[in-house]
Structure formats: C-alpha cells, structure tokens
C-alpha cells in the first residue's frame, strides 16, 4: 500500500462515473490501487461491463500507486472487454504508465492521453 507522504496515510480509492452516453462510459479512478482496493475496483468494473457499453474509458490520471493486484484487475478487464466487443481505453497517470512499461503490459492495453 502506498503512503501519502503529506498525510502519512494510504490514499483511498475513489471511483466516479463522470461521462455517460448511450455508447460510452468514462470512469475516473483516483488514489491507490493495491491489495486493499483491487477487489473493489474489480467488482465495480464487472458491474459496469455488465451494462455492455460500446466503449469504456478509465481515467486513471489521478492514480497515485498501483501494485500487481491492480495491474491484474486492468488486464482482466481488458480481456473481458475484448471478449465482449467493448472498446476499453486507459488514460494512466505517470506512475501507472511507468508500471505498465516496466511490466511489459503497455503493448497489450489501449492507452490514450486524457481528453483524446
């Protein structure tokens, strides 16, 4: 779990659906995605994907930490979307982008810049 150095505490995971149209849903995710929060992220993404939108954008630009359990959730969501014909895009924070690069996951995920 990452520690917020200013507060001395872990940054809680916050998720909010920010944009929704008939075809696409954008969800903002902020805070830490780790062993303590990844199951919640997995459950909320599963619920979202059950609605069968044509496209989902995960705005992860405010994610301050992501461990292997969080990366696993993103990979599983990517696989579920591919199988269901849902276009999944990730807009990662610098921290998350670096984790994707270091783990070799970057080529397997559709990464976009925020607002594109």
């Amino acid at each position: 779990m990452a520690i917020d150095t200013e507060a001395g505490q872990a940054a809680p995971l916050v998720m909010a659906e920010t944009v929704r149209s008939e075809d696409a849903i954008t969800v903002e995710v902020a805070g830490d995605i780790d062993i303590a929060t990844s199951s919640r992220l997995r459950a909320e993404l599963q619920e979202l994907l059950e609605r069968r939108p044509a496209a989902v954008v995960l705005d992860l630009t405010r994610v301050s930490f992501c461990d292997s359990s969080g990366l696993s959730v993103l990979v599983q969501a990517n696989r579920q979307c591919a199988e269901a014909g849902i276009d999944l895009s990730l807009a990662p924070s610098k921290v998350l982008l670096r984790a994707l690069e270091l783990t070799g996951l970057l080529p397997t995920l559709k990464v976009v810049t925020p607002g594109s």
Side-chain angles (χ1 to χ4, degrees):
M1 184 175 343
I3 301 297
D4 177 346
T5 54
E6 289 189 29
Q9 298 178 19
L13 182 69
V14 178
M15 294 181 64
E17 195 173 304
T18 58
V19 178
R20 184 169 187 209
S21 68
E22 288 184 27
D23 301 340
I25 298 173
T26 298
V27 177
E28 284 186 17
V29 181
D32 294 349
I33 306 173
D34 57 22
I35 192 72
T37 61
S38 59
S39 61
R40 177 174 159 230
L41 178 62
R42 180 180 287 110
E44 292 199 29
L45 288 176
Q46 182 63 40
E47 184 178 311
L48 173 83
L49 297 179
E50 287 174 0
R51 294 191 237 164
R52 300 275 189 215
V56 173
V57 176
L58 293 180
D59 180 348
L60 304 160
T61 56
R62 294 180 45 214
V63 169
S64 50
F65 177 80
C66 185
D67 70 5
S68 60
S69 64
L71 293 174
S72 176
V73 170
L74 297 177
V75 169
Q76 289 173 356
N78 187 62
R79 184 174 46 243
Q80 286 178 312
C81 286
E83 291 170 357
I86 299 170
D87 181 33
L88 176 66
S89 301
L90 308 177
S93 65
K94 288 181 183 181
V95 169
L96 181 55
L97 182 61
R98 184 69 178 141
L100 295 172
E101 289 171 344
L102 289 172
T103 57
L105 292 172
L106 192 56
T108 65
L109 302 169
K110 182 178 177 184
V111 174
V112 297
T113 56
S116 63

